[in-house]
Amino acid sequence: METKNYLTPTETINAIVQSGKRVTTQCRRRTFLLSLLAGFYIAFGAQLSTVVLHDAAGFVGMGIARLLAGVVFSFGLMLVVVCGAELFTGNSLLVSSAMDGEISWIKLIENWSIVLFGNLLGALFMAWLLYESQLWQGSTIAKQVLATATTKSQLSFWVAFVRGILCNWLVCLAVFMATAARDVSGKLLSCLVPITAFVASGFEHSIANMYFIPAGLLLKSGLGITEPALTWSAFLFGNILPVTLGNIVGGVLFVACAYSYVHLPQNRR
């Protein structure tokens, strides 16, 4: 009998429901450690995209440069999906498990709280490590690090919120497709295309920003640069708060709720 190398959408949403049950019943220490790893992995992808973007536009133009930055940024989600980690944005899909009655809403909120905190610590730690590596100082990469952090800190609440919606709509579609894929190559391709699309488009990812903005803040402090818009309060309340709320709306409403409504049996909702 031939084995399929992909799941149908109905099979995929059911696999997501069962995965949510497993994720929310594992011990909190395991969840926290896996969330730290996800923070590290997304930061690796973010750092790589900064390196690619800082001078690529001069050779291939800004559009292609952003496309290339998106391609390499997808490496972060590839690590999360294939190696296994708990990423807050992807865990928006746990709402499908709650809607199906497999987990309680309290368990969902508990998981989100642990994972968001772990992702934050992981991303901050990687920002500090890369700053201490001195790979940025004295190079044109430093300008890109600062420019990225400053630009994100200057977004209005509404703009950051909307960009957060658009971002996690694509991220959760990437996770949905990666769940549907039955082999590693399929999972990698599932991560590549939607993540490239969100980065090239300029959407906002809360966990990535937990790396991007602190990296700029550390560099600003270390080099003694004056940039009034780039502050820790702007990081937390001007960017992370609206982007996180937008990420939740994008992943929950447009992916988890939509596919649960379409594919889960009526008597299970």
Side-chain angles (χ1 to χ4, degrees):
M1 182 176 178
E2 185 178 355
T3 303
K4 293 195 306 181
N5 60 359
Y6 65 94
L7 300 178
T8 66
T10 301
E11 292 169 335
T12 302
I13 196 65
N14 278 283
I16 287 171
V17 166
Q18 293 306 311
S19 176
K21 183 178 180 180
R22 174 189 57 78
V23 165
T24 54
T25 54
Q26 66 188 4
C27 72
R28 294 183 182 90
R29 289 190 301 274
R30 176 184 172 90
T31 298
F32 179 69
L33 177 57
L34 290 172
S35 67
L36 281 175
L37 293 176
F40 300 155
Y41 298 161
I42 295 301
F44 275 131
Q47 156 67 4
L48 188 57
S49 72
T50 300
V51 172
V52 169
L53 188 61
H54 89 281
D55 65 349
F59 297 96
V60 296
M62 181 54 71
I64 300 301
R66 290 170 64 166
L67 184 70
L68 293 174
V71 169
V72 298
F73 182 89
S74 66
F75 169 64
L77 187 62
M78 291 176 184
L79 289 175
V80 169
V81 168
V82 176
C83 299
E86 295 289 332
L87 182 63
F88 172 75
T89 46
N91 280 18
S92 296
L93 293 175
L94 293 179
V95 168
S96 295
S97 301
M99 291 178 66
D100 199 43
E102 289 292 338
I103 66 173
S104 69
W105 292 99
I106 292 176
K107 277 288 187 182
L108 170 69
I109 298 302
E110 178 186 278
N111 176 271
W112 279 2
S113 300
I114 294 172
V115 171
L116 186 61
F117 182 61
N119 289 170
L120 173 62
L121 290 183
L124 289 173
F125 181 67
M126 284 300 298
W128 176 77
L129 276 183
L130 285 163
Y131 172 75
E132 289 296 319
S133 73
Q134 296 190 7
L135 289 169
W136 303 330
Q137 291 88 325
S139 73
T140 54
I141 297 176
K143 294 181 180 179
Q144 184 62 48
V145 172
L146 286 165
T148 299
T150 302
T151 299
K152 290 179 178 295
S153 297
Q154 291 176 324
L155 296 176
S156 71
F157 193 98
W158 175 250
V159 168
F161 175 73
V162 172
R163 292 186 187 182
I165 292 174
L166 295 167
C167 170
N168 210 34
W169 193 342
L170 287 171
V171 171
C172 285
L173 285 175
V175 175
F176 190 96
M177 292 194 298
T179 303
R182 297 289 86 187
D183 55 26
V184 172
S185 59
K187 292 181 183 296
L188 296 180
L189 183 61
S190 296
C191 295
L192 174 65
V193 180
I195 302 307
T196 297
F198 109 63
V199 174
S201 299
F203 302 152
E204 294 289 314
H205 188 270
S206 57
I207 311 308
N209 289 357
M210 290 174 183
Y211 162 80
F212 279 127
I213 301 177
L217 285 162
L218 289 171
L219 200 54
K220 169 192 170 183
S221 176
L223 298 179
I225 295 171
T226 301
E227 179 50 71
L230 187 56
T231 64
W232 286 101
S233 61
F235 160 59
L236 291 172
F237 303 110
N239 186 276
I240 296 302
L241 178 59
V243 171
T244 300
L245 293 174
N247 287 168
I248 291 171
V249 172
V252 168
L253 184 61
F254 295 109
V255 184
C257 289
Y259 282 101
S260 294
Y261 181 81
V262 171
H263 294 292
L264 292 180
Q266 293 286 337
N267 60 0
R268 288 168 57 190
R269 287 194 262 112

